[in-house]
Amino acid sequence: MRSPAPPVCPAPSASGPSAEGLARLPALGPALGATAACVRRLGVVRATLALAALSSLVSVVLTWVVLRLQGHEQMGTAFWLSLGVPLPLCLGLGGWTLHLVAALDQAHQTLRRLALHDPLTGLPNRRAFIHRTEQALAQQRQATLTHEDLPLSLALLDLDHFKAVNDRHGHAVGDAVLHEVGQRLQAQLQGDELLARWGGEEFALLMPQADVRCAAQRLDQLRSALSQPLRLTPAGGPLELRLSASIGLASTSADAAAALDALLQAADAAMYQAKQAGRDMVRVATPPAAPGGDGGPPQAPQSAKL
Ligand SMILES: Nc1nc2c(ncn2[C@@H]2O[C@H](COP(=O)(O)OP(=O)(O)OP(=O)(O)O)[C@@H](O)[C@H]2O)c(=O)[nH]1
């Protein structure tokens, strides 16, 4: 008997809520809001400064012309005052304002980076992941209106026996391993996919536009990348580690769009089942068959090993 043909998964496009998504984040609290508004005014500040400098220049030239017309060969105090006072004042104030706005802009960027990234791995953090996933789900709901099929998958990856790494080699090595794992998984990403550190030794992966079969294929690729020996050179001497992860996958389609909480719960429960079933595997949260034959939002209790 012939086995079914493998699914043909299109390469994920970068058209969805990708890196731009982070740039479109709303202000995180009043402080960020104030600085963001200030940065938005940067264009107005620049234009005002340019106008002020131009008008100062025009006034200097006009004064010079008037004095020449009045037959003053020597430029008097009035001219030098008109040249000497407004122009440096305007440029000084303008430079100071620009400096202030640039400092606020930098503070805003730093706050944003801290608010949205995990300091250990440099990956987006849980907050950034949730925001992007909400965007992707909103896009999916939008697609439903135009009867487009826009699947979406997300997975939770939990490293296996990570406590043993810490216990055997120390917390610093554990930190280095988490950083390396983040880099390794990140290097595997395609298109719109987003990897985040979910917390502890757990990572989250968003695969917009991937149905369950394509997402499972991608996860197998990630799992095999993770299984390659990981070489570190800590102070105690070179180290080679082999790692694996238990992965829970939850998918939703446009006609059965699920809420983010439901998806996360389903992925988490499927990941827990992967742990219980022996680790180093992907478990899929399968949607229960609805009475009408339609799939509903994913639920974890029934899961399938890939
Ligand atoms: N080095 C380091 N360790 C961390 C960090 N966050 C969590 N951990 C450790 O990750 C380990 C997780 O342990 P467990 O929850 O028992 O999980 P596990 O040992 O991976 O076992 P299973 O998940 O059941 O396979 C604990 O030892 C935590 O201290 C971190 O940022 N750095």
Side-chain angles (χ1 to χ4, degrees), residues 17-19 21-22 128-136 192 194 206:
S18 182
L22 289 184
F129 184 86
I130 286 176
H131 180 77
R132 283 270 298 278
T133 310
E134 291 281 22
Q135 280 185 334
D192 276 353
L194 174 79
L206 170 67

Side-chain angles (χ1 to χ4, degrees), residues 118 120-121 158-167 170-178 197 199-202 244-246 271-272 275-276 279:
D118 165 55
L120 177 63
T121 59
D158 189 282
L159 297 183
D160 295 328
H161 302 303
F162 188 70
K163 185 172 181 301
V165 175
N166 275 338
D167 291 348
H171 205 267
V173 169
D175 280 357
V177 169
L178 288 173
R197 185 173 180 206
E201 81 287 23
E202 202 171 342
S244 67
S246 301
M271 186 268 287
Y272 184 68
K275 289 273 181 206
Q276 290 197 316
R279 296 175 173 78

Side-chain angles (χ1 to χ4, degrees), residues 19-28 32 108-119 121-132 194-197:
E20 313 311 316
L22 289 184
R24 275 187 264 114
L25 267 182
L28 302 164
L32 280 186
H108 174 240
Q109 297 298 334
T110 307
L111 278 174
R112 233 175 118 258
R113 200 177 56 249
L114 291 176
L116 298 173
H117 287 87
D118 165 55
T121 59
L123 294 175
N125 62 14
R126 183 186 288 229
R127 183 201 297 261
F129 184 86
I130 286 176
H131 180 77
R132 283 270 298 278
L194 174 79
L195 178 74
R197 185 173 180 206

Side-chain angles (χ1 to χ4, degrees), residues 3-244:
S3 56
V8 179
C9 297
S13 80
S15 59
S18 182
E20 313 311 316
L22 289 184
R24 275 187 264 114
L25 267 182
L28 302 164
L32 280 186
T35 45
C38 191
V39 170
R40 272 200 298 278
R41 281 198 299 272
L42 188 61
V44 181
V45 171
R46 281 203 176 118
T48 311
L49 283 176
L51 266 179
L54 193 69
S55 58
S56 298
L57 204 64
V58 169
S59 99
V60 167
V61 172
L62 280 180
T63 311
W64 183 81
V65 170
V66 168
L67 288 174
R68 290 303 290 254
L69 285 177
Q70 287 176 350
H72 295 278
E73 289 304 319
Q74 298 287 322
M75 295 300 112
T77 317
F79 172 73
W80 290 114
L81 274 183
S82 72
L83 178 71
V85 178
L87 202 58
L89 197 70
C90 170
L91 291 177
L93 270 178
W96 181 78
T97 312
L98 272 185
H99 174 76
L100 196 69
V101 173
L104 281 172
D105 186 32
Q106 204 167 15
H108 174 240
Q109 297 298 334
T110 307
L111 278 174
R112 233 175 118 258
R113 200 177 56 249
L114 291 176
L116 298 173
H117 287 87
D118 165 55
L120 177 63
T121 59
L123 294 175
N125 62 14
R126 183 186 288 229
R127 183 201 297 261
F129 184 86
I130 286 176
H131 180 77
R132 283 270 298 278
T133 310
E134 291 281 22
Q135 280 185 334
L137 284 169
Q139 230 180 15
Q140 191 185 49
R141 282 192 288 275
Q142 197 69 30
T144 317
L145 299 177
T146 53
H147 305 289
E148 265 181 82
D149 183 25
L150 193 59
L152 178 150
S153 295
L154 67 79
L156 292 177
L157 300 81
D158 189 282
L159 297 183
D160 295 328
H161 302 303
F162 188 70
K163 185 172 181 301
V165 175
N166 275 338
D167 291 348
R168 251 178 241 149
H169 306 289
H171 205 267
V173 169
D175 280 357
V177 169
L178 288 173
H179 181 266
E180 284 305 308
V181 166
Q183 298 297 304
R184 190 173 281 192
L185 294 177
Q186 176 89 12
Q188 299 291 319
L189 298 190
Q190 297 176 357
D192 276 353
E193 292 172 349
L194 174 79
L195 178 74
R197 185 173 180 206
W198 193 244
E201 81 287 23
E202 202 171 342
F203 296 83
L205 177 67
L206 170 67
M207 292 165 280
Q209 301 164 38
D211 63 17
V212 65
R213 290 169 71 86
C214 293
Q217 264 189 4
R218 292 286 299 126
L219 289 174
D220 264 344
Q221 287 163 0
L222 263 63
R223 212 162 58 86
S224 112
L226 196 60
S227 69
Q228 301 304 311
L230 194 136
R231 294 185 183 88
L232 295 171
T233 46
L239 202 61
E240 185 175 299
L241 297 171
R242 286 187 175 271
L243 296 169
S244 67

